[in-house]
Amino acid sequence: TREILDVQRRVLARVHAGRATGVAVVGEAAYAEAISSARHLISEQRELVRSLCTSGHRVQCAIGRAGAGKTTTMRAAADAWTSAGYRVVGAAVKGEAARHLAAGAGITTETVAWYLARADRTSLPLDDQTVLIVDEASTLSDRDLDALLAITERAGAAVRLVGDPDQHGAVAAGGMFRHL
């Protein structure tokens, strides 16, 4: 519908406007410290941590197939951001995915619905020193992705969308994660 096309245009505009804005950037020392604690990561995972933690993009995607170690990699990224003074929080559409991210990455995690229900409140744990990791991002509807990006943009927070676009899809109109 036209409404969904407008939503998708807004998502794209937010992603493009947030390119190389200098948010959630960690220095070499914080990266090296996090990687030294995660010796089990393979080189591809280490490069993903480096990319996520040094790009300066407000919104960035990470794709990994099931069992590829996405959550373990997010733990190393969260350690790097935390070491650099950022607060790292998580979100997922489903409660079970949120619990898995919290346990695996060692971060406080809520459902996307929890964040969206508090969009108009100042009590959200989001500011310009926050990184929000969204797991199973392919399950996000386009409307929810748009709303979540609007919330994080207002707060100045960085967003990292993580998932496998071939594994799950959104129940409502979705597909932007695959496109991004």
Side-chain angles (χ1 to χ4, degrees), residues 116-140:
L116 297 180
R118 290 159 178 76
D120 59 345
R121 298 185 189 166
T122 58
S123 62
L124 278 173
L126 301 172
D127 60 24
D128 64 353
Q129 294 298 302
T130 306
V131 179
L132 175 65
I133 297 172
V134 181
D135 198 16
E136 302 290 346
S138 62
T139 62
L140 264 174

Side-chain angles (χ1 to χ4, degrees), residues 25-118:
V25 174
V26 304
E28 187 59 35
Y31 169 77
E33 181 181 327
I35 290 301
S36 71
S37 299
R39 296 182 193 274
H40 57 283
L41 296 182
I42 63 173
S43 62
E44 187 176 37
Q45 291 168 311
R46 291 169 185 255
E47 282 308 308
L48 178 57
V49 173
R50 181 181 296 280
S51 175
L52 293 174
C53 293
T54 63
S55 71
H57 301 323
R58 183 166 309 285
V59 181
Q60 189 171 355
C61 297
I63 296 174
R65 303 298 173 223
K70 295 181 298 287
T71 304
T72 303
T73 304
M74 290 307 102
R75 179 181 280 275
D79 289 347
W81 283 309
T82 301
S83 177
Y86 293 96
R87 179 178 50 255
V88 183
V89 294
V93 172
K94 297 182 284 186
E96 185 56 34
R99 285 186 289 280
H100 178 74
L101 178 62
I107 59 175
T108 302
T109 305
E110 299 290 346
T111 63
V112 170
W114 184 90
Y115 283 94
L116 297 180
R118 290 159 178 76

